[in-house]
Amino acid sequence: MPQDQQDRTIVNTDQLVDVDEATRRRAAGALFLDVRRRDKGGPVPPVDGAVVLDKARAAELLDPSSPELLPELEDAQDTEIVVFCNSEFGSDPVVGKLNEFGYRRVSHIDGGYRAWEATLRQG
């Protein structure tokens, strides 16, 4: 585990899904929310069809009453949503915000994008 994650805790563990389950949900039409940071200087490979969300603005972009609500989330309280960051530590706070705003079908990927990418490479 990277040093910066050793003292962090995942709150929404019951909403973690493995890569295979995330893949099934994606194939069934789930909305994928990509919350990986893009300000660290390195390239962030795109995930086809994923909606990019700036975690720093999660409160206003996820709040159904906000004029800045992501268009993909309008009337989406019952939409299947899969959140991913580089690891579950990054996606967990966003999952918490979605829960807080009443979204009912939210999950995040155990191991995050790193696990997703590793599975894709294994083919």
Side-chain angles (χ1 to χ4, degrees), residues 30-42:
L31 173 66
F32 262 48
L33 278 182
D34 180 352
V35 299
R36 294 174 293 163
R37 286 182 60 181
R38 281 155 169 80
D39 61 353
K40 287 190 172 185

Side-chain angles (χ1 to χ4, degrees), residues 8 11 14-15 27 30 35-36 45 51-52 54 56 64 74 78 80 83-84 95 101 115:
R8 292 166 46 187
V11 175
D14 59 329
Q15 291 172 278
V35 299
R36 294 174 293 163
V51 174
V52 175
D54 178 358
E74 284 187 31
D78 290 313
E80 185 77 43
V83 182
F84 67 94
V95 169
F101 289 130

Side-chain angles (χ1 to χ4, degrees), residues 5-40:
Q5 295 175 0
Q6 287 181 353
D7 296 325
R8 292 166 46 187
T9 302
I10 303 295
V11 175
N12 302 292
T13 56
D14 59 329
Q15 291 172 278
L16 283 169
V17 295
D18 64 22
V19 171
D20 291 338
E21 180 60 23
T23 301
R24 281 190 286 280
R25 291 178 186 199
R26 184 176 191 199
L31 173 66
F32 262 48
L33 278 182
D34 180 352
V35 299
R36 294 174 293 163
R37 286 182 60 181
R38 281 155 169 80
D39 61 353
K40 287 190 172 185

Side-chain angles (χ1 to χ4, degrees), residues 73-105:
L73 293 177
E74 284 187 31
D75 301 315
Q77 255 48 39
D78 290 313
T79 298
E80 185 77 43
I81 301 170
V82 178
V83 182
F84 67 94
C85 195
N86 282 317
S87 77
E88 62 274 20
F89 292 96
S91 58
D92 192 58
V94 176
V95 169
K97 271 291 175 210
L98 286 162
N99 291 337
E100 179 183 323
F101 289 130
Y103 296 90
R104 293 179 274 282
R105 299 176 61 203

